Amino acid sequence: MAELVPIPLPLLLRRAFLEFERENKIFDLPASKFFRGFPGLDLSVDFHGHRASTPLGPAAGPHGQLAQNIALAWLGGSRIIELKTVQILDELKIPRPCIDAANVGYNVEWSQELKLEQSLREYVKAGMLLEILRASGILGEGIPGDTVFDMSVGYNLEGIRSPRVRSWIAAMRSAGPVIDELRMGLTREFARYRDLPFATRISDTIALSTFHGCPANEIEGIVTFLLAEMGCHVCIKLNPTLLGEERVRHLLHDVLGYREIRLHPPAFANDLQFDEALDLIPSLQAVARRHNRGLSLKFTNTLVVRNHKQFFQDEQMYMSGAPLHVLAMNLVREFRAKLSQPIPISFSGGIDQHNMAAAVAMNFVPVTTCTDLLRPGGYARLIRYLENLAAEMRRLGVARISDFVLHFRGQAEAAGGDVHAAGQLNTPILVEEATANPRYRWERNHGVPRKIGSDLWMYDCITCDKCVPVCPNDANFSYQTAPLAIEYDNFVLTPGTMRRIPGGILRVMKARQFANYADACNECGNCDIFCPEDGGPFQAKPRFFGSLESFGKSAGPDGFFFDGAAIHGRIDGRSYVLALDPSNGWFAQTGCEVQIRLSDNQPLHWHVETETTLDMLPYLKLKLLAEAVSDPRRVHFVNAGVIQENA
């Protein structure tokens, strides 16, 4: 299984600054897709007493795990970042693939893939990265930057009360020691940012996820602990099972037409029940008030269903996307109709550019998304969410989110100017519209990305460019090379002789090629879902590692490590090294070391103990890759450090 290797802060910064300078991008996101605010409009909201410049953010999941993911979400306009859920069991072996966003959206990826200590450093690192980008001025002036990081923790009281999780939460609230450690890596061109007043409070808000079957009294115990002992604001994530099996089945099968989705009855029987949740909330609101903390609800987690597709190894999987939107909206309506006193609500479930404004009009803070960002375009889709919200605000002639909520369905007078009341009044109207909207039905969401029947290999593909943006971690990247056809001979070498034997032809037909940065790849499989060809870009394309250590740990048959002077390769399970100087290369394979003239690929000197056949194809592949990925005109994680070191 792939093991994520977090990318050091200096390399993240080198990549970001160089890529912006040379390609007008950061982590493959074009500057045209950056959120820079809208003149005359204030999209800011309040979240547990903190100001955020927009109500938008990624839901806890793949887009909130690594520092570059968080930066990409922020650049696209997210200002309430729900970080990936952490728990005491931080050595889980998640099956691969773990994401299927072909249409509806399913996953078996439900917790962090990093150790708790690694997650802490990633989130601190992400905060520092954003502050440095803002301080540098490269993004321009006046960009709305108020940002909230929202922790997500799970899944039971014992785990959350454990010393390691308690320490983790405490460190997120006061991260000075981690920041000071990371400051030490800010040298050379980044030394000017070392003394920035980085915020030591990374987060004091927590979104709580609980196991299916977690009883009401345990949920009450967890929330009370987080409010009273840890001093955090809390948002309780609720499960769509609260609607009840009969209601969910009716909506999924009869109203929306997803008859292939098979429910998991034990989840409905064992999960928190609707009436239990209603009884629980007022007592927890009282606890929050006593400790001067905020309490809110989130609608909703994903829906556990039976695995009817056999795409995953697990018997169950978690459903998201279009059908979850309708389920979550209906659950909100039921709750708001029955709650004895108002409570802030956040929302996740099938959010995209077309329904984000309506969710904001229901007074949801934040509105978070996940499945939509796993589709072609990736993080570049976020800016359309905010552009559409801004267009709706201009249509109504309002400049603030509060006025937008009041006027979206003309509820200002009926609500007496109260934003919460207007959100309540908008709720049944917008829920009915969503439930009846054909865009959420099976007929609009059962197609799958087209496959064309060809197989991927190391070079050349149809160059659709989908594999780069659909990766949440920015692990896939493109590079340039010259189209070529190299005829080559192989050689039989002895200690004193060399004999040519027939070789072959290495053909590369296209200038634009693709590769994978393996340290940032968790083999989720999402790029394979959307690639028109078979084989998976993360498997078939060259896999580059960030260090000899991670290269050595890889159990796969293929991979590469390039440090600017030499490229290490493993091809079909055999190991090779090619060290380069301006005119010659030293190529090593098992039992053979050869000096080769780069201009014509002619062996000059060699060292062998016995007669050895020198296969020139691996040499040519390594040479081509080394030359291509070292091209400074196209910046990625493989060459960013090398370019900077030589600058």
Side-chain angles (χ1 to χ4, degrees):
M1 188 186 80
E3 180 178 338
L4 288 175
V5 181
I7 296 169
L9 179 58
L11 181 55
L12 290 168
L13 289 168
R14 288 179 181 128
R15 160 101 189 256
F17 280 90
L18 283 168
E19 190 178 11
F20 187 79
E21 172 192 329
R22 301 181 184 198
E23 302 182 62
N24 206 28
K25 299 177 181 178
I26 294 180
F27 304 141
D28 285 304
L29 183 69
S32 61
K33 301 298 182 182
F34 294 178
F35 170 67
R36 302 181 185 277
F38 303 110
L41 298 182
D42 179 5
L43 272 59
S44 65
V45 293
D46 180 87
F47 180 63
H48 289 312
H50 303 298
R51 205 67 182 162
S53 295
T54 76
L56 178 63
H63 303 96
Q65 178 162 228
L66 299 177
Q68 69 267 25
N69 307 25
I70 295 166
L72 281 161
W74 188 89
L75 289 166
S78 298
R79 292 297 183 267
I80 302 178
I81 312 288
E82 191 176 276
L83 305 169
K84 192 164 187 182
T85 307
V86 303
Q87 62 155 322
I88 187 61
L89 300 176
D90 60 355
E91 295 189 33
L92 294 173
K93 300 300 182 185
I94 296 174
R96 308 296 174 184
C98 59
I99 293 175
D100 176 8
N103 42 52
V104 168
Y106 299 100
N107 75 89
V108 292
E109 180 199 41
W110 49 277
S111 187
Q112 93 266 26
E113 297 165 74
L114 301 175
K115 299 287 184 65
L116 279 164
E117 295 76 16
Q118 291 177 306
S119 292
L120 172 65
R121 290 176 62 85
E122 279 305 286
Y123 302 154
V124 174
K125 188 194 306 177
M128 295 176 69
L129 172 60
L130 296 183
E131 290 198 46
I132 291 172
L133 287 176
R134 292 178 63 192
S136 72
I138 67 171
L139 303 179
E141 300 297 327
I143 293 178
D146 291 338
T147 305
V148 178
F149 280 12
D150 187 22
M151 292 179 274
S152 180
V153 302
Y155 288 91
N156 60 11
L157 181 58
E158 180 183 5
I160 293 172
R161 288 184 64 95
S162 67
R164 285 187 68 213
V165 175
R166 289 173 67 121
S167 296
W168 187 89
I169 295 171
M172 288 288 287
R173 295 198 63 201
S174 182
V178 181
I179 290 172
D180 289 341
E181 179 187 343
L182 291 171
R183 284 183 199 272
M184 300 305 296
L186 298 177
T187 59
R188 302 181 60 178
E189 73 270 32
F190 303 119
R192 73 188 78 171
Y193 305 114
R194 183 183 296 167
D195 295 326
L196 282 178
F198 297 110
T200 58
R201 185 184 64 191
I202 307 303
S203 176
D204 64 0
T205 71
I206 290 179
L208 171 65
S209 283
T210 55
F211 282 128
H212 289 283
C214 187
N217 64 340
E218 181 160 1
I219 294 173
E220 183 174 19
I222 297 171
V223 176
T224 300
F225 166 72
L226 294 174
L227 291 168
E229 294 192 42
M230 299 309 301
C232 292
H233 309 282
V234 178
C235 176
I236 307 171
K237 297 181 187 178
L238 298 176
N239 293 328
T241 51
L242 284 166
L243 269 176
E245 185 176 355
E246 183 178 345
R247 178 70 171 148
V248 169
R249 190 185 312 278
H250 171 69
L251 286 170
L252 273 180
H253 293 176
D254 302 330
V255 175
L256 300 175
Y258 295 95
R259 296 187 176 274
E260 78 282 4
I261 296 178
R262 298 184 296 165
L263 300 182
H264 183 57
F268 293 89
N270 299 329
D271 270 9
L272 183 71
Q273 300 299 299
F274 191 92
D275 290 341
E276 291 178 323
L278 285 178
D279 291 341
L280 184 63
I281 292 165
S283 64
L284 289 175
Q285 286 179 300
V287 175
R289 285 193 296 270
R290 285 199 302 271
H291 294 278
N292 197 29
R293 299 287 93 185
L295 182 74
S296 61
L297 304 178
K298 182 163 190 177
F299 296 85
T300 66
N301 266 325
T302 50
L303 176 68
V304 60
V305 298
R306 296 192 183 279
N307 184 358
H308 66 276
K309 301 181 69 174
Q310 305 308 314
F311 183 75
F312 304 124
Q313 301 174 24
D314 292 19
E315 293 183 5
Q316 284 88 43
M317 56 188 181
Y318 298 89
M319 185 200 78
S320 59
L324 184 63
H325 183 76
V326 174
L327 297 180
M329 290 282 277
N330 276 269
L331 184 56
V332 170
R333 176 171 60 180
E334 297 296 325
F335 253 81
R336 277 187 161 169
K338 298 290 179 62
L339 283 171
S340 59
Q341 51 187 303
I343 188 169
I345 288 175
S346 62
F347 189 88
S348 183
I351 288 294
D352 59 26
Q353 60 176 291
H354 303 292
N355 57 30
M356 189 254 189
V360 172
M362 293 170 70
N363 198 32
F364 296 149
V365 178
V367 176
T368 65
T369 183
C370 179
T371 302
D372 188 54
L373 302 185
L374 293 167
R375 295 186 169 130
Y379 295 94
R381 301 169 77 92
L382 284 169
I383 191 62
R384 291 295 297 162
Y385 292 45
L386 297 171
E387 288 173 345
N388 289 349
L389 174 60
E392 285 292 291
M393 293 175 69
R394 291 194 177 104
R395 179 182 66 82
L396 295 172
V398 299
R400 298 181 303 171
I401 293 294
S402 57
D403 292 326
F404 176 72
V405 177
L406 288 166
H407 294 280
F408 189 71
R409 284 292 188 268
Q411 305 289 3
E413 184 176 349
D418 181 81
V419 176
H420 176 79
Q424 293 270 89
L425 292 170
N426 287 338
T427 296
I429 300 170
L430 296 175
V431 171
E432 286 299 322
E433 290 179 2
T435 305
N437 193 328
R439 70 184 297 264
Y440 300 112
R441 290 182 54 83
W442 175 84
E443 290 84 355
R444 298 279 187 91
N445 297 288
H446 71 281
V448 297
R450 186 173 68 95
K451 294 286 187 180
I452 61 176
S454 56
D455 292 327
L456 291 173
W457 73 295
M458 181 179 287
Y459 299 110
D460 295 335
C461 59
I462 67 169
T463 319
C464 68
D465 280 327
K466 291 179 180 177
C467 64
V468 175
V470 301
C471 176
N473 304 340
D474 193 35
N476 296 322
F477 65 95
S478 66
Y479 63 95
Q480 297 290 122
T481 188
L484 50 83
I486 302 175
E487 295 187 34
Y488 64 90
D489 293 327
N490 293 327
F491 299 89
V492 177
L493 305 176
T494 70
T497 64
M498 176 179 71
R499 175 168 55 89
R500 291 178 182 270
I501 59 174
I505 301 176
L506 173 61
R507 287 189 174 89
V508 177
M509 305 301 293
K510 296 185 177 181
R512 187 169 171 81
Q513 301 290 334
F514 295 88
N516 172 269
Y517 193 66
D519 283 12
C521 178
N522 62 351
E523 299 182 4
C524 71
N526 198 49
C527 60
D528 190 17
I529 289 288
F530 291 100
C531 179
E533 299 187 79
D534 295 318
F538 72 98
Q539 293 175 316
K541 294 301 179 181
R543 299 168 63 239
F544 282 89
F545 293 82
S547 68
L548 272 177
E549 180 183 8
S550 60
F551 172 74
K553 285 183 178 179
S554 170
D558 298 285
F560 304 91
F561 167 67
F562 178 64
D563 64 5
I567 180 169
H568 300 252
R570 192 161 50 245
I571 303 173
D572 296 328
R574 299 190 64 184
S575 295
Y576 307 92
V577 181
L578 175 61
L580 301 166
D581 65 29
S583 57
N584 297 316
W586 282 96
F587 179 66
Q589 65 179 46
T590 302
C592 178
E593 292 183 11
V594 186
Q595 184 184 28
I596 302 175
R597 187 166 53 220
L598 299 178
S599 59
D600 59 3
N601 303 316
Q602 174 68 32
L604 301 176
H605 306 283
W606 55 92
H607 174 75
V608 295
E609 296 291 338
T610 61
E611 183 176 284
T612 302
T613 298
L614 174 63
D615 183 353
M616 293 291 285
L617 183 58
Y619 155 78
L620 291 171
K621 288 181 176 180
L622 263 62
K623 177 188 175 187
L624 179 59
L625 284 174
E627 292 173 345
V629 299
S630 60
D631 184 348
R633 294 171 297 178
R634 176 71 182 92
V635 183
H636 39 74
F637 285 127
V638 176
N639 67 6
V642 175
I643 293 172
Q644 201 66 20
E645 288 297 323
N646 293 337

